[in-house]
């Protein structure tokens, strides 16, 4: 009896130990999830410290050129949205549109193409023209309309600026400028339904009125007679007409004639008013216009804008010389090469063309007026436009160079004051010697050599500015990359320790004893190291987030080093493995990385999912066809279901309205539900379906559940055209219709709780339960996508169930519980082959993003889809309905994934961690794909892609919590008849 007591006592002790370990695991995994959320949130902020730091520095002294300026005043015309080709080319009858400006090009001025850098939008284009630098990337965090940092401009340096034009542009540069006179028209003037050229006439009329007023206002007349004046006319007509009517329309092309006429009339007015020939004129555009009536990206139709200059200080036309330099290796900011051939239909082949970067216009204007360049300008003075003698050219370029060099020196000074181990920009280490050489050459009147040295020094200063703009990039990117890698390694170690049979194989029970001693030492060293890093960062006056990045990374690698004994034992274990094991290991890793890289590519090319599902369907069906009898018909079903889903990523992202298709989709969904019911009833005893049907709980809590769910799906299909017809006839949706729609959607989502707990029965009930709400929120082919996604998920489950039956290893042939392993008796240990479950889930989860467009695209947020529930504007309710629609496909995928873990007896959290590892491989890639140049859409998409992947650690977990109420009761046959022989 005593011995028996002793045996019982040992069993109780071992049972308590296992329960304690399970509680410890649960607590550790809660902590891991919290750590994952914090880590991804902190690392997501790093892109703003790396990619979106403001290039603007303050504290530089303006550099005034040392020569008498040729002009007293300058007129800047900016024809918003004017394409270079539409300006220079003739119309269909061979007549040129801009007759006055063409006469200027041929008789008394210079011309070329101004190359804009993406994003080709109005604000950054005007900033480049007037302030001489490209859009401040830090604006991405503060809104594109606001000025995130105060910057200098030509207007700031002028004695007085007169500006007339758009309320979106003029106030940016003149709103806080005390020495300015400006006026803009009201926003409601910008009516896309009309010919917007009247906006350009408004700007001209206001300027003409100003000149007329000066005849009576002596103070104004005296101001106009002074030097260093800037007159800015913003002409919005081409942009508005291009958006509304496209750049090939007669309205847009006629607007080209309007802006040309305004340039001529302003020129004549000023010539008559001043009669001194001391006025310079510059005509250009901030960006072009695509054939679709949009702009923003780097297409030549958007980046190529006209540039015409004439008047005081501007060269006259010159024929193209035979010794013209061909700098085909040099590129403009829009990546277009120099000396591109001029189209023959422009009729300007014999006249020298001088192309510039858009930011070069600011130093050109400053030099013509004898003003210091804007202190933040990165533009280079285009000598091809200015009519200066050699000494003036050198002095103008030298002033331009000194201004850029002063920015470089200020950035170098700031960085050196904050860096313990400062690394200077070596090519400019002796810049003062070069400046002395230039001054010496100028005094000796060797202007050619001085000019060449000045231009070289300017190029080096621009390189130096880029060097300091990206000075911290390597350190930050290394810290973040090591952090992500550390997080993934730590998760892998956790999975190996908690969800595999490895601990029981080679670590033994003494592991707990040495872990406590070793961990204390490792974490003490980690704390000391982090303390040193933080101290260094404090000395360098680094931002608080730098401390957070380093602390997170050091903590993760400290945690990895605390598992040294486990890693060492794992390494010894691997040394004893045969070649086949390593082939499987590296093969699985290789296939996983390739698939994940394809998923990264799919964010910009949805067609990848088409090829993905075509390959998956073919491979899976062939695999099963040669292993199991063809009479099961499972291989052919998997093939057809996968290929059906592959169609949707070939369809347009913008979903067209198609109410009959939505109605038809409802009846297709009913047929799919009926087919699942048929499989359950008539094939439930088949050996290939035993795991999907739980015969002990086969009877539903509600016998008439399937007919009721089918009825609700049918009713929702009928309500779709009824509700839509009211909207198309511009009639208010009847209250009874709204009540029916809300009732159908609400009741149908509750009904799955009354279904049987068999896997197939519960999942088909969930599929039918969400269908009515999805149909009522659908406008086109996305309703069929819902049905095809359900079929593909069923095919995935059938494949895994068939693979479970025919595989050599059954769920319980793998050790599921021992003294060291802390899995529950329902779960088995994870194997290398289980990685396919996580990868397949990633494919399905991502196709839920892109199956009917883009999760963040306008197609997914079609507002008309909520009109069947609400017609009165209510932004929060409408947003909630749209988000619910977007979540439904994800919930189907998560339900299928959770059910599969029960079928295969996999630990759900273990599989979740595998999914997080996969998503973080993609996250690292997207981290390096974040862009701070390009169109707003390209910049925004690169940030959103990185953000979407970073948020998956939370998003997937939340969906698990939401769907668990549907899947927690699922029962599978594998729990009761686990062995293959019994099956």
């Amino acid at each position: 009896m005593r011995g028996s007591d002793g045996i019982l006592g040992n069993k109780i002790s071992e049972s308590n130990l296992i329960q304690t370990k399970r509680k410890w695991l649960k607590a550790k995994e809660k902590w891991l999830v919290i750590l994952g959320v914090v880590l991804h949130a902190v690392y997501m902020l790093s892109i703003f410290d790396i990619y979106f730091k403001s290039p603007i520095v303050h504290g530089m002294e303006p550099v005034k050129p040392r020569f008498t300026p040729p002009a007293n005043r300058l007129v800047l015309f900016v024809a918003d949205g004017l394409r270079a080709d539409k300006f220079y080319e003739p119309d269909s009858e061979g007549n040129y549109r801009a007759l006055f400006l063409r006469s200027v090009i041929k008789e008394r001025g210079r011309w070329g193409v101004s190359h804009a850098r993406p994003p080709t939008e109005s604000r950054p284009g005007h900033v480049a023209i007037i302030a001489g630098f490209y859009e401040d990337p830090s604006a991405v965090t503060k809104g594109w309309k606001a000025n995130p940092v105060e910057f200098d401009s030509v207007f700031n340096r002028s004695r007085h600026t007169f500006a007339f034009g758009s309320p979106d542009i003029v106030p940016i540069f003149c709103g806080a400028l005390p020495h300015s006179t400006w006026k803009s028209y009201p926003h409601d003037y910008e009516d896309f339904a009309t010919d917007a050229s009247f906006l350009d006439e408004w700007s001209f009329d206001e300027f003409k009125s100003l000149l007329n007023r000066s005849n009576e206002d002596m103070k104004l007349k005296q101001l106009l007679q002074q030097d260093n004046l800037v007159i800015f006319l913003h002409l919005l007509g081409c942009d508005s007409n291009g958006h509304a009517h496209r750049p090939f329309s007669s309205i847009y092309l006629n607007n080209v004639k309007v802006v040309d006429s305004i340039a001529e009339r302003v020129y004549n007015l000023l010539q008559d008013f001043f009669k001194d020939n001391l006025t310079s004129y510059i005509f250009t555009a901030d960006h072009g216009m695509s054939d679709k009536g949009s702009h923003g990206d780097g297409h030549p139709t958007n980046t190529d804008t006209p540039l015409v200059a004439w008047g005081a200080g501007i060269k006259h036309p010159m024929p193209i010389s035979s010794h013209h330099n061909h700098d085909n290796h040099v590129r403009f900011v829009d990546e277009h090469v120099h000396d591109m051939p001029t189209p023959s239909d422009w009729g300007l082949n014999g006249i020298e063309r001088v192309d510039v970067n858009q930011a070069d216009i600011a130093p050109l204007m400053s030099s013509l007026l004898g003003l210091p360049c804007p202190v933040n300008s990165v533009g280079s003075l285009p000598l091809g436009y200015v009519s200066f003698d050699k000494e003036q050219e050198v002095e103008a370029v030298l002033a331009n160079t000194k201004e850029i060099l002063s920015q470089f020196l200020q950035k170098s000074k700031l960085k050196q004051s904050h860096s313990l181990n400062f690394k200077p920009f070596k090519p400019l280490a002796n810049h003062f010697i070069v400046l002395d050489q230039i001054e010496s050459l100028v005094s000796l009147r060797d202007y050619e050599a001085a000019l060449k040295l000045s231009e070289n020094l300017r190029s080096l200063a621009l390189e130096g500015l880029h060097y300091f703009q990206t000075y911290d990039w390597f350190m930050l990117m290394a810290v973040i990359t090591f952090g992500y890698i550390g997080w993934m390694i730590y998760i892998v170690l956790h999975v190996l320790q908690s969800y595999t049979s490895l601990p029981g194989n080679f670590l033994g029970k003494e592991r707990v004893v040495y872990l406590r001693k070793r961990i204390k030492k490792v974490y003490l060293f980690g704390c000391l190291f982090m303390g040193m890093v933080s101290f260094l960062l404090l000395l360098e006056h680094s931002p608080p987030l730098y401390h957070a990045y380093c602390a997170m990374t050091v903590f993760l690698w400290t945690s990895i080093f605390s598992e040294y004994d486990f890693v060492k034992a794992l390494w010894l274990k691997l040394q004893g493995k045969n070649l086949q094991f390593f082939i499987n290991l590296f093969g699985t890793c290789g296939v996983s990385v390739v698939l994940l890289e394809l998923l990264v590519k799919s964010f910009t090319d949805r067609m990848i999912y088409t090829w993905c599902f075509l390959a998956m369907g073919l491979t899976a069906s062939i695999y099963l066809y040669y292993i199991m009898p063809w009479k099961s018909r499972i291989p052919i079903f998997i093939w057809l279901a996968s290929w059906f889903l592959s169609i949707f990523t070939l369809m347009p992202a913008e979903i067209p309205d198609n109410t009959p298709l939505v109605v038809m989709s409802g009846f297709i969904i009913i047929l799919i539900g009926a087919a699942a019911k048929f499989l359950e009833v008539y094939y439930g005893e088949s050996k290939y379906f035993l795991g999907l049907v739980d015969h002990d709980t086969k009877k539903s809590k509600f016998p008439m559940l399937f007919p009721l769910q089918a009825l609700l799906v049918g009713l929702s299909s009928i309500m779709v055209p009824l509700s839509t017809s009211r909207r198309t006839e511009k009639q208010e949706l009847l209250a009874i219709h709204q009540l029916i729609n809300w009732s159908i959607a609400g009741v149908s989502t509750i009904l799955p709780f009354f279904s049987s707990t068999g896997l197939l029965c519960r999942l088909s009930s969930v599929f039918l339960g969400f269908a009515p709400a999805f149909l009522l929120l659908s406008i086109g082919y996305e309703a069929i996508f819902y049905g095809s996604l359900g079929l593909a998920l069923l095919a995935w489950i059938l494949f895994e169930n068939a693979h479970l039956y025919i595989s050599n290893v059954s769920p319980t042939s793998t050790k599921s519980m021992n003294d060291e392993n802390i899995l529950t008796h329902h779960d088995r240990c994870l194997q290398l082959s289980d990685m396919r479950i996580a990868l397949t889930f990633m494919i399905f989860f991502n196709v839920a993003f892109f199956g009917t467009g883009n999760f963040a695209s306008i197609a997914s947020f079609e507002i008309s889809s909520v009109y069947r529930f609400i017609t009165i504007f209510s932004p929060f309710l409408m947003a909630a309905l749209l988000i619910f629609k977007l979540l439904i496909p994800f919930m189907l995928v998560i339900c299928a994934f959770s059910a599969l873990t029960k079928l295969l007896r996999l630990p759900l959290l273990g599989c979740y961690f595998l999914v997080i590892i996969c998503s973080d491989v993609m996250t690292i890639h997207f981290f390096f794909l974040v862009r701070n140049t390009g169109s707003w859409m390209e910049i925004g998409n690169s940030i959103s892609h990185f953000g979407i992947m970073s948020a998956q650690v939370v998003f997937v977990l939340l969906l698990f919590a939401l769907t668990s109420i549907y899947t927690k009761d699922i029962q599978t046959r594998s729990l009761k008849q686990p062995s293959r022989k019994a099956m």
Side-chain angles (χ1 to χ4, degrees):
M1 188 73 177
R2 185 175 297 175
S4 177
D5 288 339
I7 293 171
L8 287 173
N10 287 337
K11 286 185 178 180
I12 292 170
S13 176
E14 289 176 6
S15 175
N16 289 338
L17 180 61
I18 291 172
Q19 289 299 324
T20 302
K21 287 183 178 181
R22 286 175 183 165
K23 288 180 181 178
W24 174 83
L25 174 65
K26 192 174 181 180
K28 182 183 178 182
E29 289 186 331
K30 284 182 181 178
W31 173 83
L32 264 180
V33 169
I34 294 171
L35 174 66
V37 172
V38 173
L39 177 140
H40 286 82
V42 170
Y43 283 175
M44 193 159 61
L45 295 174
S46 68
I47 61 171
F48 300 107
D49 281 321
I50 297 172
Y51 296 101
F52 300 103
K53 276 287 189 183
S54 172
I56 296 175
V57 289
H58 299 284
M60 296 82 66
E61 290 294 327
V63 181
K64 187 175 175 66
R66 299 176 298 191
F67 63 87
T68 303
N72 282 350
R73 69 203 67 87
L74 180 139
V75 182
L76 173 64
F77 304 93
V78 178
D80 203 308
L82 178 57
R83 277 167 56 158
D85 58 347
K86 298 305 171 189
F87 175 78
Y88 290 121
E89 71 184 15
D91 58 23
S92 58
E93 297 177 358
N95 300 317
Y96 292 100
R97 301 181 185 100
L99 294 177
F100 169 72
L101 290 170
R102 285 186 70 83
S103 69
V104 167
I105 292 170
K106 292 181 177 181
E107 298 169 10
R108 55 178 178 272
R110 302 289 274 166
W111 78 286
V113 171
S114 170
H115 295 266
R117 193 184 82 168
T120 46
E121 301 283 352
S122 293
R123 172 183 169 18
H126 283 85
V127 168
I129 293 168
I130 301 169
F133 73 97
Y134 298 103
E135 178 59 55
D136 181 1
S138 70
V140 74
T141 62
K142 301 182 181 180
W144 299 116
K145 293 293 182 182
N147 282 339
V149 181
E150 290 300 321
F151 54 82
D152 194 16
S153 72
V154 176
F155 295 176
N156 291 26
R157 296 294 160 192
S158 69
R159 186 181 302 276
H160 200 87
T161 295
F162 302 91
F164 305 97
S166 167
D168 295 320
I169 297 299
V170 173
I172 291 177
F173 300 95
C174 300
L177 193 63
H179 56 277
S180 66
T181 301
W182 61 277
K183 189 175 181 181
S184 60
Y185 40 79
H187 279 284
D188 54 15
Y189 275 32
E190 299 175 22
D191 187 355
F192 289 101
T194 62
D195 181 356
S197 60
F198 80 94
L199 300 175
D200 302 342
E201 295 289 352
W202 183 95
S203 298
F204 171 75
D205 291 340
E206 289 296 325
F207 175 64
K208 183 179 179 181
S209 175
L210 176 81
L211 293 183
N212 292 335
R213 213 166 51 244
S214 68
N215 293 324
E216 300 173 359
D217 187 344
M218 293 307 296
K219 189 175 181 181
L220 176 60
K221 188 154 190 169
Q222 288 176 359
L223 180 60
L224 286 168
Q225 294 294 341
Q226 295 185 27
D227 59 359
N228 295 340
L229 298 183
V230 176
I231 299 163
F232 171 46
L233 295 185
H234 178 252
L235 311 174
L236 185 64
C238 288
D239 184 75
S240 297
N241 285 328
H243 287 309
H245 309 288
R246 307 295 185 267
F248 287 95
S249 66
S250 59
I251 294 178
Y252 179 90
L253 298 176
N254 182 68
N255 210 144
V256 179
K257 298 178 182 179
V258 172
V259 296
D260 176 75
S261 171
I262 290 173
E264 181 178 17
R265 283 179 279 165
V266 169
Y267 172 74
N268 292 332
L269 275 174
L270 291 177
Q271 289 297 99
D272 292 340
F273 188 86
F274 292 107
K275 299 183 177 65
D276 57 4
N277 294 322
L278 294 178
T279 307
S280 300
Y281 301 87
I282 292 178
F283 178 93
T284 188
D286 55 348
H287 57 75
M289 183 72 61
S290 73
D291 293 344
K292 294 180 180 179
S294 61
H295 52 83
D297 60 27
H299 193 273
T301 58
N302 290 328
T303 61
D304 290 358
T305 63
L307 176 60
V308 181
W310 74 99
I314 303 294
K315 283 182 180 178
H316 280 65
M318 294 178 63
I320 296 178
S321 57
S322 57
H323 60 274
H324 186 64
N325 291 328
H326 292 277
D327 299 324
N328 289 321
H329 63 286
V330 180
R331 291 183 173 270
F332 291 103
V333 289
D334 59 354
E335 294 299 316
H336 300 154
V337 296
H338 281 241
D339 292 319
M340 295 182 70
T342 301
S344 58
D345 62 346
W346 289 9
L348 299 170
N349 287 329
I351 305 173
E352 188 177 71
R353 164 182 164 183
V354 183
D355 285 11
V356 301
N357 285 318
Q358 196 170 59
D360 298 342
I361 297 174
L364 172 61
M365 293 191 292
S366 297
S367 298
L368 291 171
L369 292 172
L371 299 172
C373 287
V375 295
N376 305 117
S377 170
V378 294
S380 300
L381 174 65
L383 292 176
Y385 279 87
V386 292
S387 179
F388 292 168
D389 59 32
K390 289 296 182 182
E391 183 180 1
Q392 287 176 323
E393 283 187 354
V394 172
E395 291 294 350
V397 172
L398 184 57
N400 184 200
T401 300
K402 286 180 176 178
E403 175 272 319
I404 296 175
L405 184 63
S406 65
Q407 289 185 70
F408 162 79
L409 294 174
Q410 184 68 7
K411 282 199 172 187
S412 177
K413 180 182 176 182
L414 289 172
K415 185 54 65 176
Q416 186 173 8
S417 66
H418 293 165
S419 298
L420 296 176
N421 184 27
F422 177 69
K423 297 178 181 177
F425 184 65
K426 293 181 180 179
L428 283 176
N430 298 318
H431 66 277
F432 52 90
I433 297 176
V434 179
L435 285 173
D436 290 341
Q437 289 177 346
I438 295 170
E439 295 289 355
S440 176
L441 289 169
V442 170
S443 63
L444 294 172
R445 298 191 176 183
D446 188 353
Y447 299 126
E448 289 291 340
L451 183 63
K452 187 175 181 180
L453 267 180
S454 296
E455 290 176 334
N456 289 339
L457 184 60
R458 182 177 61 191
S459 298
L460 288 174
L462 289 170
E463 290 179 21
L465 285 177
H466 179 73
Y467 171 79
F468 284 114
Q469 183 67 20
T470 59
Y471 188 86
D472 291 331
W473 278 26
F474 180 78
M475 183 274 287
L476 288 175
M477 295 182 89
V479 168
I480 301 302
T481 303
F482 274 111
Y484 276 120
I485 293 172
W487 163 255
M488 289 190 290
I489 292 174
Y490 190 57
I491 292 297
V492 168
L493 292 177
H494 173 71
V495 170
L496 290 175
Q497 288 175 322
S498 304
Y499 296 106
T500 70
S501 57
L502 288 176
N505 284 343
F506 59 81
L507 282 181
K509 295 181 180 178
E510 72 280 359
R511 177 172 177 266
V512 177
V513 178
Y514 70 71
L515 263 183
R516 289 177 180 172
K517 296 179 180 178
R518 178 94 52 181
I519 286 175
K520 288 180 181 179
K521 293 180 180 179
V522 172
Y523 275 99
L524 178 61
F525 176 79
C527 289
L528 292 173
F529 182 73
M530 187 58 231
M532 290 172 56
V533 171
S534 294
F535 181 69
L536 293 174
L537 291 174
L538 282 172
L539 290 178
E540 293 193 345
H541 304 283
S542 298
L545 278 174
Y546 282 31
H547 294 261
Y549 306 145
C550 294
M552 199 70 71
T553 301
V554 170
F555 174 77
L556 286 168
W557 282 95
T558 301
S559 300
I560 291 170
F561 285 121
S562 71
E563 303 291 345
Y564 168 78
D565 296 280
F566 177 80
V567 174
K568 182 180 178 181
L570 180 63
W571 175 251
L572 294 174
K573 180 75 173 179
L574 290 175
Q575 288 179 338
K577 294 291 184 180
N578 56 25
L579 180 63
Q580 185 61 42
F581 172 83
F582 288 102
I583 291 174
N584 292 339
L585 177 63
F586 290 114
T588 301
C589 293
V591 170
S592 301
V593 171
V594 169
L595 275 175
L596 294 172
E597 287 301 306
L598 284 175
L599 291 182
V600 169
K601 181 68 176 174
S602 72
F603 275 65
T604 54
D605 184 7
R606 294 169 59 229
M607 195 181 294
I608 284 175
Y609 292 104
T610 298
W611 295 108
C612 221
F613 280 100
L614 288 175
M616 284 172 60
L618 191 63
T619 305
S621 57
I622 290 175
Y623 170 74
L624 292 182
Y625 183 79
Y626 285 103
I627 296 178
M628 64 191 302
W630 67 272
K631 289 181 180 180
S632 68
R633 297 182 179 85
I634 291 177
I636 192 70
F637 172 76
I638 292 173
W639 174 56
L640 290 175
S642 300
W643 282 32
F644 184 31
L645 186 58
S646 71
I647 296 171
F648 292 90
T649 43
L650 297 175
M651 294 184 176
E654 294 183 6
I655 304 171
D657 284 352
N658 194 331
T659 302
L661 191 61
V662 178
V663 175
M664 185 180 73
S665 303
F667 293 103
I668 291 174
I669 289 169
I670 293 173
L671 288 176
I672 294 172
K677 192 71 175 176
F678 178 80
L679 287 176
E680 181 187 2
V681 173
Y682 292 97
Y683 286 88
E685 296 297 334
S686 169
K687 56 189 176 184
Y688 301 113
F689 290 90
L690 278 176
L692 306 182
V693 180
D694 187 359
H695 292 269
D696 292 344
T697 58
K698 187 176 178 181
K699 290 186 178 180
S700 174
K701 303 171 187 176
F702 185 14
M704 296 298 292
L705 180 63
F706 172 73
L708 179 58
Q709 287 191 297
L711 176 64
L712 290 176
V713 175
L715 278 175
S716 63
S717 301
I718 295 170
M719 291 305 299
V720 166
L722 285 177
S723 303
T724 304
S725 63
R726 303 286 300 182
R727 177 170 57 87
T728 54
E729 294 170 5
K730 297 183 178 180
Q731 296 178 349
E732 186 178 353
L733 186 62
L734 295 176
I736 186 65
H737 286 177
Q738 287 180 276
L739 180 62
I740 292 172
N741 290 342
W742 280 104
S743 300
I744 291 173
V747 171
S748 63
T749 55
I750 297 172
L751 290 178
F753 295 117
F754 298 95
S755 66
S756 167
T757 56
L759 186 147
L760 186 60
C761 182
R762 177 55 63 90
L763 289 184
S764 61
S765 183
V766 170
F767 172 74
L768 290 173
F770 284 112
F774 196 83
L775 288 171
L776 289 168
L777 289 167
S778 296
I779 61 169
Y781 73 79
E782 80 269 36
I784 292 186
F785 169 76
Y786 180 85
S788 69
L789 180 64
L791 285 174
L793 291 172
L794 177 60
W796 182 25
I797 292 169
L798 289 176
F799 172 83
E800 291 297 339
N801 188 61
H803 181 266
L804 178 65
Y805 172 76
I806 62 180
S807 61
N808 293 325
V809 181
S810 68
T812 54
S813 64
T814 303
K815 192 175 184 181
S816 63
M817 188 176 74
N818 51 51
D819 291 345
E820 293 78 21
N821 194 285
I822 47 182
L823 298 174
T824 66
H825 68 280
H826 296 302
D827 296 332
R828 67 169 172 84
C829 295
L830 287 173
Q831 302 170 343
L832 185 62
S833 60
D834 293 326
M835 194 66 192
R836 76 180 183 280
I837 306 296
L839 291 170
T840 309
F841 170 79
M842 289 294 294
I843 294 172
F844 274 109
F845 196 77
N846 280 277
V847 88
F849 274 101
F850 300 105
T852 56
N854 186 335
F855 185 78
S857 76
I858 192 171
S860 299
F861 291 92
E862 179 55 57
I863 195 68
S864 62
S865 62
V866 305
Y867 290 158
R868 295 169 192 142
F869 290 94
I870 183 172
T871 55
I872 299 172
F873 181 70
S874 177
F876 294 107
L877 182 56
M878 288 178 169
L881 287 169
L882 288 170
I883 292 171
F884 179 62
K885 175 192 174 183
L886 296 171
L887 287 179
I888 288 174
F890 294 106
M891 294 183 75
L892 285 186
V893 174
I894 295 284
C895 284
F897 181 70
S898 300
L900 267 178
T901 59
K902 289 179 176 290
L903 176 69
L904 303 178
R905 299 186 60 214
L906 298 174
L908 184 59
L909 267 177
C911 292
Y912 165 75
F913 287 125
L914 292 181
V915 168
I916 295 306
I917 292 169
C918 292
S919 70
D920 279 334
V921 171
M922 296 174 64
T923 302
I924 292 178
H925 194 141
F926 282 121
F927 173 68
F928 288 98
L929 292 180
V930 173
R931 300 183 57 176
N932 59 3
T933 59
S935 69
W936 283 174
M937 184 175 69
E938 290 166 336
I939 294 171
N941 281 346
S942 70
I943 296 172
S944 66
H945 294 165
F946 174 67
I948 285 170
M949 295 312 303
S950 296
Q952 278 201 10
V953 66
V954 181
F955 187 50
V956 174
L957 196 66
L958 288 176
L959 287 174
F960 273 137
L962 283 173
T963 56
S964 65
I965 58 176
Y966 291 104
T967 58
K968 65 181 179 180
D969 296 330
I970 289 179
Q971 301 292 324
T972 61
R973 178 62 67 93
S974 59
L975 296 180
K976 298 177 181 175
Q977 291 182 333
S979 69
R980 186 181 173 196
K981 290 182 179 180
M983 292 175 69

